[in-house]
Amino acid sequence: MSFYEALYHQISTELGEERAAFERVRYESADGVATVTIAREEKLNALDTATITELLRAFLLARSDRAVRAVVLSGAGSKAFVAGADIAEMSALSPDEARRFAERGQQLTILVETLGKPVVAAVNGFALGGGCELALACHIRVASETAKFGQPEVKLGLLPGFGGSQRLPRLVGKGRALELLLTGGMIPADEALRIGLVNRVVPAGETLDSALAI
C-alpha cells in the first residue's frame, strides 16, 4: 500500500466519507483550482488535531479530483495565515500524544509537498511555528506586505515538529535558517522575500487574488 493509499484509508476511516462536511476548513473548487481555507479566525487559524485532520482530508480530496489542477491554501481573516499550533491543546498532551500530534502534522506537510499538483500559499498575516512549516511545504508562497514569518518553538523549549528544520535551510540557506530556528525571531514579509522564503509580496488584501492568478 502506498503512502497516499495508507493515509487516505486512515483519514477516511477517522472522518467518514471524503465529501463529509468540513467544520474547521473551507473547501471550494472552480476553474481547475481548489481553494482550501483554514477557518479558525477567532483562534488565528491555529492548528489543532481536528484542523490538521480536516486539512489532510481536503488535500486528499484535491489530489483525487481530476478536475483540480492546482490548490491555493489560505487562512481566514486578515491577521493570520496560521499563527502556529494550538497551544491550549498542546499543553494538555502527554508525551505519547505529543509525538502523535507531530506525526500528524508531518503527514500533512509531506502530503502538501508531494501532492503532485502545485500548491500556492496565500500568506495573509502571521505564519509562525506550524503555520510557517505549512507554508514551507507549499510550492509557491505569496505574502501580504503585513505578513510575518518565524519558528518560535525554541522559546517554548521545543523543536519545529512538522519538518520546518529541514525545509527552511533548503529555501534560505543554513545560516539564515539557523538564525531563525535558534533565536525564534520573526521577520517581516520584505525580509522573507529578500532571503527567498517567499516568492512575492503583494499589498494587503490582494494575497488570495494574487495566489489565484498564479
Side-chain angles (χ1 to χ4, degrees):
M1 183 178 291
S2 71
F3 167 80
Y4 292 109
E5 290 169 338
L7 187 56
Y8 182 85
H9 177 74
Q10 178 183 347
I11 302 305
S12 298
T13 300
E14 290 180 11
L15 293 184
E17 293 299 321
E18 65 180 48
R19 295 187 181 275
F22 291 102
E23 295 181 358
R24 296 166 182 256
V25 169
R26 294 198 298 267
Y27 183 94
E28 301 169 292
S29 178
D31 301 322
V33 179
T35 303
V36 179
T37 306
I38 302 164
R40 300 189 76 206
E41 186 176 356
E42 76 287 354
K43 298 288 188 180
L44 297 179
N45 302 318
L47 297 174
D48 61 2
T49 301
T51 304
I52 292 172
T53 302
E54 288 198 15
L55 283 169
L56 280 163
R57 187 155 57 84
F59 276 97
L60 287 168
L61 179 59
R63 179 181 179 272
S64 65
D65 188 345
R66 293 188 177 184
V68 172
R69 292 176 290 153
V71 182
V72 169
L73 175 63
S74 69
S78 60
K79 292 183 178 180
F81 171 70
V82 173
D86 191 320
I87 301 300
E89 181 187 64
M90 286 186 64
S91 63
L93 298 179
S94 70
D96 284 342
E97 289 169 339
R99 176 179 54 80
R100 288 193 293 271
F101 178 78
E103 289 173 346
R104 179 53 58 92
Q106 290 169 19
Q107 288 177 331
L108 175 60
T109 54
I110 291 170
L111 178 60
V112 170
E113 186 175 50
T114 63
L115 193 69
K117 302 177 182 185
V119 182
V120 182
V123 182
N124 47 315
F126 290 110
L128 305 176
C132 186
E133 293 180 279
L134 186 55
L136 291 173
C138 297
H139 305 107
I140 299 173
R141 285 156 293 282
V142 179
S144 163
E145 60 190 0
T146 61
K148 294 184 184 299
F149 297 82
Q151 299 287 169
E153 289 89 347
V154 67
K155 296 182 178 181
L156 297 174
L158 302 171
L159 293 170
F162 299 167
S165 63
Q166 306 305 302
R167 294 185 179 93
L168 186 59
R170 294 172 194 165
L171 278 176
V172 307
K174 183 177 179 180
R176 291 312 308 268
L178 282 171
E179 181 181 358
L180 290 169
L181 293 168
L182 295 178
T183 67
M186 287 192 297
I187 58 172
D190 57 351
E191 176 67 4
L193 178 64
R194 190 184 71 80
I195 66 175
L197 181 53
V198 301
N199 297 83
R200 62 181 68 176
V201 176
V202 300
E206 298 182 14
T207 319
L208 182 59
D209 287 342
S210 296
L212 288 169
I214 292 175

